[in-house]
Amino acid sequence: MILTVTLNTALDVTYRVPRLLPHASHRVTAVTERPGGKGLNVARVLAALGHKVTATGFAGGPVGSVVRNALATSPGVVDALLPCEGASRRTLAVVDEASGDTTQFNEPGPLITPAEWSRFLAHYEELVAGVRAVALCGSLPPGVPVGAYAALVRVARATGVPVLLDTSGEALRRGVAARPEIIKPNAAELAELTGSRDPLPASRDARRRGAHAVVTSLGPAGLLAATARGTWQAAPPRPLSGNPTGAGDSVVAGLLSALAEGLDWPDRLTRAVALSAATVLAPVAGEFDPGVYEELRQTVRVTTGN
């Protein structure tokens, strides 16, 4: 069993419009809704890969009810979300069909009380005792301590469970100090953490700060991994055009599933890049075609670094 944590769950709403123009009224051509927040996206991909997954975090209000009802129809994902008094957030993505660009609007999320956070910590400790790996993903809702992920990393490490941390800002800075197995920033998040815009020395700096391994998303250029066993870069076989929404979450699912299966780093990166690329090419944001994934997996280029 793999555990994903999404403290700031969401209902992802996507509008498609012929062209997005400022100061204009738009006719929406299609609307889709589904449970969201990074950890829930990761959970769906893990389940599609055949892993048993439990998803936890907070869900509250009418939006939280919609999220949980929809999650019940996600095959292979066990709902372990905790209720909260505040209302879960919505994220709104507007897709410009003319350009293919996506504009995102993210609500802050519910205000979590100290009592609700204490209840979650106890719940998390129970869940961690029976899993092989944990993904801690996304932003923190209001009221949750900025050191929350650091605390969750320490709980998992105390039971010998490896953790992948995917967040940003101060939550990442504090989380790294708790020594997670893997962090997965993008290039901008890594630069914010370390002050360096060169991904390789920045990755080494992040490792000195506590992360056992740093896997940086380089956009179309793929992934850069800096680990105790070496450095690798993995890239798709060709430039890809499509919708990148959810591609980073597919990277997390690929890395975490490969970690749970005991695969070596080149194989972990191959899986993660192929899943990410298949997600970009999928017609529905955040999903992937298994056949496309298998084809891409055969052609991912992995090179060793210095």
Side-chain angles (χ1 to χ4, degrees), residues 109-122:
L111 176 63
I112 303 302
T113 68
E116 288 171 336
W117 176 240
S118 295
R119 188 162 65 249
F120 178 82
L121 283 174

Side-chain angles (χ1 to χ4, degrees), residues 42-273:
V42 171
R44 280 194 299 270
V45 177
L46 286 169
L49 292 171
H51 284 270
K52 296 179 179 179
V53 190
T54 295
T56 191
F58 291 106
V63 172
S65 296
V66 173
V67 168
R68 299 193 75 169
N69 289 337
L71 194 60
T73 66
S74 297
V77 180
V78 176
D79 176 3
L81 296 171
L82 281 185
C84 61
E85 287 296 322
S88 293
R89 65 189 177 127
R90 293 162 297 181
T91 67
L92 177 62
V94 182
V95 179
D96 183 327
E97 294 177 329
S99 67
D101 292 337
T102 301
T103 301
Q104 192 88 12
F105 299 88
N106 297 327
E107 297 178 357
L111 176 63
I112 303 302
T113 68
E116 288 171 336
W117 176 240
S118 295
R119 188 162 65 249
F120 178 82
L121 283 174
H123 178 64
Y124 174 79
E125 289 178 3
E126 293 179 359
L127 292 173
V128 163
V131 303
R132 299 175 64 186
V134 175
L136 305 177
C137 303
S139 62
L140 301 177
V144 171
V146 71
Y149 282 138
L152 299 182
V153 171
R154 292 187 186 101
V155 169
R157 282 179 52 82
T159 59
V161 176
V163 176
L164 189 154
L165 177 61
D166 183 17
T167 189
S168 60
E170 188 63 21
L172 174 60
R173 188 181 308 278
R174 298 200 185 193
V176 165
R179 302 187 59 79
E181 189 71 20
I182 304 171
I183 62 170
K184 193 216 69 68
N186 59 34
E189 291 163 348
L190 182 64
E192 182 183 8
L193 174 66
T194 64
S196 172
R197 294 193 175 277
D198 188 329
L200 185 54
S203 296
R204 290 169 175 160
D205 184 359
R207 290 195 64 239
R208 286 191 293 270
R209 292 167 185 259
H212 289 265
V214 179
V215 179
T216 306
S217 294
L218 302 176
L223 300 175
L224 173 68
T227 81
R229 297 187 177 183
T231 302
W232 293 269
Q233 186 162 351
R238 62 187 185 279
L240 302 172
S241 61
N243 188 347
T245 303
D249 302 327
S250 290
V251 168
V252 172
L255 293 172
L256 199 65
S257 61
L259 172 64
E261 294 170 25
L263 301 185
D264 61 15
W265 273 105
D267 288 337
R268 294 182 195 182
L269 297 172
T270 296
R271 177 179 294 183
V273 168

